[in-house]
Amino acid sequence: MPDQIEKTDPGIVDAGTVVVDPGLTPEPEREKPRSLWDDAWRDLRRNPVFIVSSLLILFLVILSLWPGLFSSTSPLSCDLSKSRQTSESGHPFGYDLQGCDVYARTIYGARASVTVGVCATAGVAILGSVLGGLAGFYGGWWDSVLSRITDIFFGIPILLGGLVFLSVMKDRSIWTVVSFMILLGWPQIGRIARGAVITAKQQDYVQAAKALGASSGRIMIRHILPNAVAPVIVVATIALGTYISLEATLSYLGVGLKAPTVSWGIDISSAAVQYRNAPHMLLYPAGALSITILAFIMLGDAVRDALDPKLR
Amino acid sequence: MRGSTRAKWVVSAAVIAMAATACGGSSDDDKGDEGKGGDSKGIVRAYWSDPQNPLEPSNTNEVQGGKILDMIFRGLKEYDPKTGAAKDAMAQSIDTKDQQNFTIKIKSGWKFSDGTPVTAKSFVDAWNYGAYLDNKQLNAYFFSDIDGYADVHPDKEGAKPTAKTMKGVKVVDDTTFTVKLTQKFSTWPSRLGYKAYSPLPEAFFKDHAAWLKKPIGNGPYKLESYVKGQGAKLRVNAGYSGTDKPKNGGVDLKVYTDGNTAYSDLQAGNLDLLDGLPAAALTNVKTDLSGRYINQPAGIIQTISFPLYNKKWGTEKAKKVRQGLSMAIDRKSITEKIFQGSRTPAKDFTSPVLGAPGGYSDGICGELCEFNPTKAKQLIQEGGGIPGGKMTISVNGDTGSHKDWADAACNSINKVVGNDKACTTNLVGTFADFRNQITKHEMTGPFRAGWQMDYPLIDNFLGPIYKTGASSNDSLYSSKKFDKLLNQANAEADTTKAIQLYQDAEKLLVQDVPAIPLWYQNGDAGYSDKISNVTLNAFSVPVFSDITVK
């Protein structure tokens, strides 16, 4: 991403750096003026919240890509005779009701959460910014229709929608859940993207490009996209955590992922009723879920601080 | 002007919204009254789950519907709460000389809760209604021994009934009717306490829709209201003539979709009686309820049934797989770890409460009900493996902690076949939904089936479930040999010989495996400190009429 933005820089600079970021004062020792992105990156590197959350997320991503590195036990091989036993050597988190290793299940559960979170966010961001962006750029009836569709989807409470839509799906995989989240989640991004594009469209450099005879496609990709994408990224990063918790919520309610997929939500659901006699069954998956969501929300916060100069 | 019109619209919308919410408020107020009872005797609040069908006695073959029918109907016989022995309720006498022709006299003076008298005609009409094909009653099977059943309920698919009533049942006078059976059937009168044989008032036939909304019966309680998904209110039927007059003011059955929620409600004092405790509560129930907990043997067996109508499961080859699956389930560990010993691994298709003289035997199933991973794997492989490589065990989520054991059974099967993902649990939200899928024969894989006996005879564990075309034959199992043995057994006057024949029939089931016997279930219940004198009958249903409220 940054490479592409670097390339677009001349266009922006031509049009007038001041418009892109009025608060920007080029440092004397650098020849090239810094863009919004350079600035944000410099900010982020110094932000401890960003560093901690990125390290956590990096760890989670490794965990979900190669869970086998961390646990040699299979999360699905269970020994009923060890039902609800607490920790023992080699099995630090103990066993759940079915005698499955809680540590292994917690490790493997990260994959479902991170996959759903990342894919749903990516899908929502792409679909939302394309639809919202087009609506904002072209305006007119295209905008009206899309805005009303956005309103309709916006009106469906996501949890209620999940209970209704997902409960009728017999075979639910990770992708079913992801598609559902994208379907109901894109309006939020769509609205923001539309707003951002409308603001960017009225800038002088866009008018200049138009006057010079640039095509719509060129204006959109070269001038508007790089300047409208920041708010989308901020909202999407914060939403990532929300989507992870939404997956866990849906799985907890029995309409999300299904066994044999290992998911924290499913485990929390079955552990909740055993809480009194085997609290370890609940604490570990719930703790892992909380830490994951916290990490993504912290990252989102840090990114917002960096990209949204008005808040500073 | 335009502005003011808009304002009007906004105001009226707000008014409507407020009226709507006020509506919600008033129903809340109703709930508030509930606690006060309004009666001098208190109301028992008991756990329930929605029944599958409208409450027609001949169309209810599941436990939750049976629970409420038991309260609003009384048949010719009733079963002793302690021993389960059949004794006369509405029947004055049931006489026979040849075990085939019966003369039934009923007690006079009994009334339905709408005031109309219960006559011989009430029974005869009800039975004819239940048997008639076009009425599509689930329990029609229970009339199949009556002469003339074949005319009103022909076996062949697509065949039309040639008569409206069975020629074997005749009204003699107001209190007498006669029944002719198709063959000798010595224990037939003991069946008559089952709810399918209940009498129906004239109102049932006159205004069927109204009756379905508010069933009228002749039992100790009358139904005041039933709201699907919420519950039913039952109050004492003042005109009840039976001996077991209720000692409380009534019963409110509250619908729950999760046993654990009900258990929390019981502890919090929002529920008085919970029968069938959730497995997660079993560890702590004794201390939680300081002894207000009943756990006793009951006539319940849990099985996994196979959809034999499905190509994958019904073939001769799949039989080996079914046998293998039976041996792949570690019943002992599951009963100990999941159910804390409140279930006993099954060794036949009946229940120990029948006792050895009644036909229970621990030697029927033999090694097919024993956990044997090596043999199980071998049998499953010989049968071509699990059909399609994957299977689900379907269970309902709202009663009996079925997901817990189904997960454990699946893990046990998965270990045997060496594939972590071969078997998974398919959770169906509610009992009513689950039963609907089963009775419509929509199952594509094994599903949970539990059998709570209707009358304490071995025949009840075999006939209604496995006989061709029987009311609860959810697998659509059909074996001529089995049917023949059962008919012979029913006709046999000598009990020992009859039992022998029943057990021979049972052995056929072991080989054919239309279902896997899992375990015998104890009946259990927990209750609040507001009620006392709580007992479970031989069918593990609470004896509601005996309960007293403080």
Side-chain angles (χ1 to χ4, degrees):
Chain A
M1 224 17 198
D3 291 345
Q4 206 191 339
I5 288 159
E6 294 291 343
K7 275 183 219 148
T8 66
D9 260 351
I12 300 168
V13 177
D14 290 347
T17 324
V18 188
V19 183
V20 177
D21 192 342
L24 203 83
T25 40
E27 282 177 31
E29 66 266 26
R30 284 189 67 174
E31 284 174 17
K32 210 173 70 172
R34 284 188 292 117
S35 76
L36 169 71
W37 302 98
D38 293 325
D39 210 32
W41 176 234
R42 207 183 52 142
D43 251 32
L44 283 176
R45 272 178 313 186
R46 292 183 190 156
N47 187 345
V49 172
F50 175 76
I51 293 165
V52 171
S53 60
S54 324
L55 285 177
L56 258 173
I57 287 164
L58 185 71
F59 174 69
L60 282 165
V61 168
I62 295 171
L63 205 62
S64 27
L65 287 176
W66 301 285
L69 287 178
F70 299 87
S71 162
S72 50
T73 332
S74 158
L76 294 173
S77 97
C78 311
D79 182 1
L80 196 55
S81 65
K82 301 203 160 140
S83 173
R84 300 198 291 187
Q85 276 180 22
T86 48
S87 61
E88 59 179 40
S89 84
H91 304 277
F93 293 179
Y95 298 89
D96 69 4
L97 176 70
Q98 302 292 345
C100 312
D101 184 35
V102 175
Y103 174 72
R105 290 191 70 88
T106 308
I107 297 288
Y108 278 81
R111 175 178 280 177
S113 288
V114 173
T115 315
V116 169
V118 170
C119 294
T121 310
V124 163
I126 291 169
L127 187 71
S129 36
V130 168
L131 290 178
L134 290 177
F137 188 78
Y138 288 110
W141 65 270
W142 177 235
D143 183 29
S144 309
V145 171
L146 263 168
S147 298
R148 292 300 81 74
I149 293 177
T150 314
D151 286 346
I152 290 170
F153 276 92
F154 221 54
I156 305 174
I158 200 155
L159 210 53
L160 182 66
L163 287 171
V164 174
F165 290 136
L166 292 172
S167 60
V168 294
M169 310 280 282
K170 285 248 157 98
D171 290 309
R172 292 190 299 269
S173 66
I174 285 190
W175 305 114
T176 328
V177 177
V178 168
S179 338
F180 163 77
M181 288 181 182
I182 294 175
L183 189 71
L184 285 196
W186 69 266
Q188 190 196 11
I189 302 275
R191 279 189 172 180
I192 289 160
R194 175 177 170 272
V197 168
I198 288 176
T199 318
K201 202 172 79 171
Q202 290 155 355
Q203 302 293 0
D204 293 345
Y205 56 86
V206 176
Q207 303 299 333
K210 244 186 206 166
L212 287 169
S215 67
S216 298
R218 191 187 157 82
I219 295 177
M220 254 193 279
I221 290 168
R222 280 271 156 139
H223 301 291
I224 293 186
L225 181 72
N227 292 295
V229 80
V232 170
I233 288 178
V234 169
V235 175
T237 326
I238 295 174
L240 221 159
T242 327
Y243 286 124
I244 290 177
S245 86
L246 182 64
E247 179 271 314
T249 312
L250 291 171
S251 300
Y252 178 86
L253 293 172
V255 295
L257 300 176
K258 267 186 157 179
T261 309
V262 184
S263 151
W264 291 332
I266 297 175
D267 283 5
I268 291 171
S269 169
S270 59
V273 291
Q274 303 286 347
Y275 178 66
R276 286 172 66 197
N277 300 304
H280 63 272
M281 268 174 71
L282 179 65
L283 295 181
Y284 293 110
L289 179 67
S290 311
I291 291 172
T292 308
I293 295 173
L294 187 69
F296 279 106
I297 287 181
M298 269 160 52
L299 178 78
D301 257 7
V303 170
R304 189 196 56 199
D305 285 351
L307 280 181
D308 196 347
K310 283 181 210 137
L311 282 175
R312 265 180 288 188
Chain B
M1 266 316 272
R2 227 186 134 194
S4 74
T5 334
R6 269 193 192 163
K8 267 183 210 161
W9 274 108
V10 170
V11 169
S12 41
V15 168
I16 290 168
M18 280 163 78
T21 40
C23 237
S26 76
S27 77
D28 275 349
D29 293 346
D30 284 349
K31 271 191 180 163
D33 290 341
E34 207 175 281
K36 292 170 206 156
D39 204 285
S40 56
K41 285 176 187 167
I43 306 289
V44 182
R45 297 161 302 171
Y47 164 81
W48 198 37
S49 180
D50 272 321
Q52 181 195 358
N53 294 316
L55 295 166
E56 294 169 299
S58 52
N59 204 25
T60 298
N61 68 349
E62 35 81 25
V63 175
Q64 300 302 336
K67 198 190 233 176
I68 187 168
L69 284 181
D70 212 33
M71 297 159 81
I72 57 179
F73 280 103
R74 213 28 108 236
L76 291 166
K77 295 260 183 185
E78 63 186 329
Y79 301 107
D80 187 280
K82 287 209 179 68
T83 62
K87 57 182 188 185
D88 289 343
M90 271 218 70
Q92 184 78 44
S93 65
I94 301 174
D95 297 322
T96 178
K97 289 193 182 97
D98 55 1
Q99 322 281 339
Q100 190 174 358
N101 290 286
F102 295 86
T103 307
I104 299 168
K105 277 190 181 302
I106 59 168
K107 288 172 186 161
S108 52
W110 279 59
K111 284 193 170 65
F112 287 106
S113 59
D114 63 351
T116 53
V118 188
T119 63
K121 194 167 176 294
S122 317
F123 282 95
V124 174
D125 286 351
W127 294 10
N128 278 324
Y129 178 85
Y132 192 58
L133 180 67
D134 291 359
N135 293 336
K136 291 183 184 142
Q137 300 288 292
L138 283 173
N139 284 336
Y141 163 82
F142 286 91
F143 306 103
S144 62
D145 299 295
I146 297 173
D147 188 30
Y149 176 78
D151 301 332
V152 298
H153 200 118
D155 250 352
K156 265 196 202 144
E157 210 156 298
K160 290 260 184 318
T162 53
K164 279 217 142 183
T165 54
M166 294 180 284
K167 59 176 185 263
V169 216
K170 284 192 190 100
V171 179
V172 177
D173 57 41
D174 262 4
T175 54
T176 320
F177 65 107
T178 60
V179 179
K180 187 182 178 217
L181 303 181
T182 51
Q183 59 161 25
K184 285 186 179 184
F185 195 158
S186 50
T187 56
W188 190 75
S190 310
R191 275 184 170 194
L192 297 177
Y194 183 47
K195 286 295 154 285
Y197 299 102
S198 301
L200 288 170
E202 271 181 28
F204 179 87
F205 302 99
K206 268 191 196 148
D207 191 349
H208 194 66
W211 189 93
L212 287 182
K213 260 187 209 155
K214 197 177 170 186
I216 297 160
N218 63 335
Y221 292 93
K222 60 181 180 198
L223 184 69
E224 223 168 63
S225 65
Y226 165 45
V227 182
K228 197 174 170 64
Q230 286 186 17
K233 286 183 185 180
L234 295 131
R235 294 295 174 267
V236 172
N237 176 10
Y240 178 63
S241 312
T243 47
D244 53 337
K245 289 200 170 63
K247 292 173 182 146
N248 45 54
V251 179
D252 283 350
L253 296 173
K254 294 171 80 174
V255 171
Y256 287 88
T257 51
D258 178 16
N260 290 303
T261 321
Y263 187 67
S264 311
D265 254 8
L266 176 66
Q267 286 176 289
N270 299 323
L271 184 72
D272 293 325
L273 176 60
L274 167 60
D275 55 330
L277 287 155
L282 292 173
T283 326
N284 313 80
V285 63
K286 277 180 199 153
T287 44
D288 280 354
L289 299 176
S290 30
R292 296 187 308 275
Y293 169 62
I294 312 169
N295 183 6
Q296 64 184 45
I300 305 176
I301 180 167
Q302 297 285 353
T303 61
I304 293 176
S305 291
F306 293 98
L308 299 183
Y309 46 84
N310 184 295
K311 273 183 211 145
K312 288 195 291 187
W313 293 98
T315 57
E316 194 60 25
K317 217 177 166 198
K319 192 199 277 184
K320 285 233 160 117
V321 179
R322 304 201 300 265
Q323 291 175 342
L325 288 176
S326 175
M327 297 177 82
I329 297 172
D330 187 355
R331 295 170 179 75
K332 193 167 169 285
S333 300
I334 297 176
T335 50
E336 277 169 12
K337 295 292 176 180
I338 308 280
F339 291 116
Q340 316 297 324
S342 67
R343 313 277 193 278
T344 320
K347 297 197 181 319
D348 75 343
F349 282 89
T350 67
S351 162
V353 292
L354 291 176
Y360 166 73
S361 162
D362 62 3
I364 301 266
C365 194
E367 64 160 7
L368 275 176
C369 290
E370 297 290 337
F371 178 53
N372 185 341
T374 346
K375 189 94 191 281
K377 189 169 188 182
Q378 191 195 331
L379 278 169
I380 293 173
Q381 275 171 353
E382 281 172 22
I386 291 171
K390 272 186 183 175
M391 61 178 271
T392 55
I393 298 179
S394 299
V395 298
N396 59 308
D398 54 345
T399 64
S401 306
H402 295 301
K403 187 182 180 292
D404 292 346
W405 71 253
D407 280 347
C410 266
N411 283 335
S412 190
I413 291 169
N414 287 343
K415 245 189 208 170
V416 166
V417 297
N419 175 359
D420 277 348
K421 295 178 177 174
C423 173
T424 47
T425 307
N426 171 36
L427 196 65
V428 182
T430 64
F431 182 68
D433 262 0
F434 179 65
R435 287 302 310 168
N436 271 331
Q437 291 183 17
I438 291 172
T439 47
K440 284 183 188 157
H441 306 300
E442 284 171 354
M443 288 293 170
T444 52
F447 53 92
R448 165 190 101 78
W451 186 253
Q452 178 169 343
M453 65 179 181
D454 305 313
Y455 44 89
L457 298 171
I458 180 172
D459 148 57
N460 186 238
F461 283 94
L462 305 175
I465 323 174
Y466 303 111
K467 207 173 170 188
T468 309
S471 57
S472 297
N473 191 340
D474 300 329
S475 306
L476 296 188
Y477 171 70
S478 175
S479 155
K480 289 214 170 82
K481 267 196 201 163
F482 179 84
D483 295 353
K484 202 177 152 203
L485 279 168
L486 226 55
N487 284 337
Q488 283 176 357
N490 286 342
E492 183 59 60
D494 182 80
T495 320
T496 334
K497 275 188 199 156
I499 297 283
Q500 189 59 50
L501 286 165
Y502 281 124
Q503 289 183 340
D504 286 348
E506 220 183 320
K507 279 172 194 154
L508 284 177
L509 293 183
V510 175
Q511 288 312 310
D512 287 347
V513 221
I516 299 175
L518 290 174
W519 37 76
Y520 311 119
Q521 189 172 327
N522 277 13
D524 60 359
Y527 53 96
S528 74
D529 54 5
K530 282 192 197 119
I531 59 173
S532 48
N533 208 14
V534 182
T535 51
L536 297 178
N537 64 17
F539 310 96
S540 84
V541 175
V543 186
F544 285 105
S545 51
D546 279 356
I547 297 172
T548 52
V549 182
K550 270 171 212 165

